[in-house]
Amino acid sequence: EAEVAQSPRYKITEKSQAVAFWCDPISGHATLYWYRQILGQGPELLVQFQDESVVDDSQLPKDRFSAERLKGVDSTLKIQPAELGDSAMYLCASSFGQGVGLAGYNEQFFGPGTRLTVL
Amino acid sequence: QKEVEQDPGPLSVPEGAIVSLNCTYSNSAFQYFMWYRQYSRKGPELLMYTYSSGNKEDGRFTAQVDKSSKYISLFIRDSQPSDSATYLCAKQRSNYQLIWGAGTKLIIKP
């Protein structure tokens, strides 16, 4: 069964260090999402890609966060420098998502997440 | 006011009980509503989705949307300890983005 892969599963870092998370979506899924989930809350969308293009990064703290999906397949999310408040679960999801404005249901498939702890 | 409101719980019930999980939403311009289940330290997985208003049943699970009252419900019959998880409701925007509730932590006691 196809799955969304993420690595690492767990990351402990000190504040001011750089961290990077990797995501490999389900083959054929054009849309890729990065979410941040703080304990006890629902996922918060950070960035959405359609193929290699950013569709929405309005909630991405661009002074320290960056995301790329160079070949429209796998993706990397980076934080530089990490802050204490960045401790959270970082989730990657993918979907077929053929574009904005089309009617219909679009299931998002989630990876296992990367749990980040900033000390 | 958040677009999707959900009581974070925890909700603790004995095994075999009927569980009722609920969300409210504030914007009527949505057609698809979802329930995701999230086990500890795992990513969310889709349980069910419903279109517009009405009921949808899948085994022990029933999802219900009442658009007149802007209420989303998930019922679990014959609850099992393996149902212990966090249940997240969400609604889908026209651009496919999901608006999430906070999630309700459910505990089924053997």
Side-chain angles (χ1 to χ4, degrees), chain B residues 52-110:
Chain B
S52 192
S53 192
N55 292 0
K56 184 174 183 179
E57 188 174 319
D58 184 2
R60 297 185 295 111
F61 298 87
T62 299
Q64 187 175 79
V65 177
D66 184 340
K67 295 196 83 173
S68 62
S69 59
K70 297 186 176 63
Y71 219 70
I72 312 166
S73 301
L74 178 71
F75 301 97
I76 307 174
R77 292 182 299 280
D78 187 24
S79 55
Q80 305 295 311
S82 59
D83 295 329
S84 297
T86 296
Y87 290 79
L88 295 147
C89 63
K91 58 181 184 179
Q92 180 181 289
R93 287 178 168 166
S94 59
N95 63 0
Y96 296 150
Q97 290 182 359
L98 297 180
I99 308 300
W100 298 85
T104 299
K105 184 174 183 178
L106 175 65
I107 301 168
I108 308 297
K109 297 176 294 184

Side-chain angles (χ1 to χ4, degrees), chain A residues 72-88:
Chain A
V73 181
D74 59 338
S75 176
T76 302
L77 178 69
K78 297 178 181 177
I79 307 175
Q80 165 70 43
E83 295 181 353
L84 295 177
D86 296 332
S87 294

